[in-house]
Amino acid sequence: MVMKMTVTKALLLALTVGVACADVDPAQLSGPWRTSAMASDNLEMILKDGPFQMLFREMECNEECNALNVFFYVKKNKVCTPHRVVAQKNADGIYTTDFEGQTSFQFHEVDPVRQIIFINNMGSKGKTSRLSFFVVKLRIVNDDPPEDYARLTEQNGIPRKYIRRVADTGEASAASRLTQR
């Protein structure tokens, strides 16, 4: 059973490496970010009160981006709770951290102010979920995800119909009000 989970995880990570970029320019990655869209092959993860209904706010890289601080909010029971995780980059360019189980992620740069984050999460009960987030380096989230986001999300095993724009959910304004206080 343990071997099966390890093989499944390795296959999911290999799929992620196939569609994402391994090298991240720390100067472009550090700074304020906003979630524009999210998707998951397990919709419960990103829908109301889901543990990955994340509203990204800031990322900070060290010089070589081997360690990444990620600041975000998760809304549960109508309350936005701030979170901070520190992720370590491995030799394959994949970041890993413990958040809602074992989480690994990688970036695909659309351009210097738009990134796609591909996430694989193995929850505490052994269920694996794939997620993607389209994040923008702007104060106001009004940027429609490009066709590349939908295409790459599908290539990562997440159906296009599971993409949710944050502006459509009302979550962007809730978190914005919270951070302005």
Side-chain angles (χ1 to χ4, degrees):
M1 179 78 170
V2 173
M3 180 64 144
K4 186 175 182 180
M5 282 188 206
T6 304
V7 170
T8 301
K9 184 177 174 192
L11 290 172
L12 287 172
L13 289 176
L15 177 62
T16 301
V17 172
V19 297
C21 299
D23 295 321
V24 176
D25 179 358
Q28 290 180 349
L29 192 56
S30 292
W33 290 91
R34 300 296 179 260
T35 305
S36 179
M38 61 186 82
S40 177
D41 62 348
N42 176 3
L43 277 178
E44 293 175 2
M45 299 292 274
I46 62 169
L47 293 179
K48 184 176 180 178
D49 292 339
F52 278 84
Q53 191 181 38
M54 295 176 159
L55 302 169
F56 286 88
R57 287 297 171 250
E58 188 171 357
M59 290 186 261
E60 293 177 354
C61 261
N62 65 2
E63 279 185 30
E64 296 178 19
C65 223
N66 292 321
L68 179 67
N69 290 298
V70 183
F71 303 92
F72 57 94
Y73 289 90
V74 173
K75 187 174 182 182
K76 192 166 187 167
N77 299 322
K78 299 182 180 181
V79 176
C80 287
T81 305
H83 292 271
R84 175 183 176 262
V85 297
V86 178
Q88 300 297 320
K89 185 164 81 172
N90 67 22
D92 295 326
I94 298 169
Y95 289 91
T96 58
T97 191
D98 290 325
F99 179 76
E100 294 295 325
Q102 192 173 21
T103 302
S104 59
F105 60 95
Q106 199 166 24
F107 295 89
H108 174 86
E109 182 179 288
V110 176
D111 59 44
V113 296
R114 300 183 304 166
Q115 299 272 344
I116 299 171
I117 305 170
F118 291 103
I119 299 174
N120 287 306
N121 171 263
M122 183 175 289
S124 59
K125 296 179 182 174
K127 181 169 179 155
T128 301
S129 299
R130 287 177 279 191
L131 303 100
S132 70
F133 288 83
F134 180 67
V135 296
V136 295
K137 205 172 197 179
L138 300 172
R139 293 201 175 270
I140 300 172
V141 179
N142 62 358
D143 192 16
D144 284 331
E147 177 59 28
D148 281 354
Y149 173 68
R151 182 179 50 77
L152 291 170
T153 294
E154 281 185 315
Q155 286 178 5
N156 202 37
I158 303 169
R160 185 180 295 242
K161 66 183 180 181
Y162 291 169
I163 294 173
R164 301 292 185 261
R165 289 185 61 234
V166 171
D168 293 342
T169 66
E171 301 306 323
S173 59
S176 178
R177 287 190 303 271
L178 184 67
T179 58
Q180 291 175 0
R181 291 180 184 172

